[in-house]
Amino acid sequence: MTIGEYIPACEALLFVAGDEGISLEELCTLLDAQPDVITYTMMCFQLKLANDSQSGLAVKRFNRRYHLVTKADYYDVIKDYAVSPFAMKLSNAALETLAIIAYQSPTTRMAVDAIRGVQSGTMLKKLMSYQLVEEKGRQDSPGHPILYGVTDYFFDYFGLDSTDDLPPLETLLETNETENDETDLYHHESNAS
């Protein structure tokens, strides 16, 4: 590969790496290249983006990892987007975490993890950044874990006065079971054909 071929490969890897970024070692392994080649490639890529007035992106290296970031010139536009309703698209995992907190409030991260069966730290941070969840104090137990609950903004966003306005949990469970039964029935029919 030439430097011109490494640059788009590095760009693609930086894009899919997202917030985590990617290390020099990971780039070398994935692209089967020597560290000096990738270091030079990344330097060229940084200069290319820095000098491209048609791009709002830049490459930065911090915490020993390369990150694809936005240029500082677009701070105000990005800040406006971040606080707009357009930015708040909740994934199924985020909605699941939010529902558990809404119904169990106040609750700990470990309790949420136990119900979901996976770690929820990232989802909690995301929901807190959206101001849908907040810390409600500490549990009086060993380690004094943080208690989480929904915010006033949560009630405003979903048009609720209180958690009493949430649909009864039993209704949601029955709906979910019915959907699962229909899915199973569909699978049996499609497998039979």
Side-chain angles (χ1 to χ4, degrees):
M1 266 193 195
T2 65
I3 296 299
E5 293 169 319
Y6 278 123
I7 287 177
C10 288
E11 182 177 28
L13 288 168
L14 283 168
F15 178 79
V16 297
D19 294 341
E20 297 296 313
I22 194 162
S23 70
L24 175 63
E25 295 77 18
E26 290 166 336
L27 285 169
C28 290
T29 301
L30 291 165
L31 298 173
D32 193 26
Q34 295 299 312
D36 58 333
V37 173
I38 297 300
T39 300
Y40 181 71
T41 299
M42 293 307 291
M43 204 169 64
C44 292
F45 186 33
Q46 284 176 310
L47 285 171
K48 177 181 179 282
L49 288 177
N51 294 322
D52 184 356
S53 62
Q54 300 298 306
S55 175
L57 300 176
V59 172
K60 297 287 182 193
R61 188 166 188 239
F62 49 91
N63 199 20
R64 301 179 57 143
R65 300 178 76 78
Y66 291 101
H67 298 264
L68 195 59
V69 299
T70 53
K71 289 179 179 172
D73 298 348
Y74 302 101
Y75 171 80
D76 289 335
V77 173
I78 292 164
K79 184 184 78 166
D80 290 344
Y81 171 77
V83 298
S84 74
F86 308 115
M88 197 186 307
K89 292 188 175 92
L90 298 176
S91 65
N92 286 341
L95 284 170
E96 182 181 73
T97 304
L98 184 58
I100 292 166
I101 294 166
Y103 280 95
Q104 302 285 322
S105 185
T107 189
T108 64
R109 182 189 57 78
M110 287 181 63
V112 174
D113 291 352
I115 294 169
R116 292 189 65 225
V118 294
Q119 294 229 355
S120 304
T122 302
M123 284 302 112
L124 278 169
K125 285 180 187 171
K126 181 177 277 192
L127 292 170
M128 289 177 75
S129 74
Y130 289 157
Q131 299 177 357
L132 293 169
V133 170
E134 66 186 356
E135 293 182 14
K136 296 286 189 178
R138 297 265 180 179
Q139 189 174 56
D140 190 18
S141 65
H144 301 289
I146 297 169
L147 290 167
Y148 295 95
V150 292
T151 62
D152 290 341
Y153 179 64
F154 165 87
F155 294 110
D156 184 48
Y157 185 80
F158 288 101
L160 304 170
D161 287 329
S162 72
T163 52
D164 295 336
D165 293 336
L166 291 168
L169 195 51
E170 299 77 27
T171 307
L172 294 176
L173 293 173
E174 286 170 12
T175 303
N176 192 32
E177 285 171 8
T178 304
E179 286 172 0
N180 288 340
D181 289 345
E182 288 171 4
T183 303
D184 290 343
L185 179 63
Y186 175 75
H187 276 291
H188 290 306
E189 288 175 0
S190 62
N191 289 339
S193 56

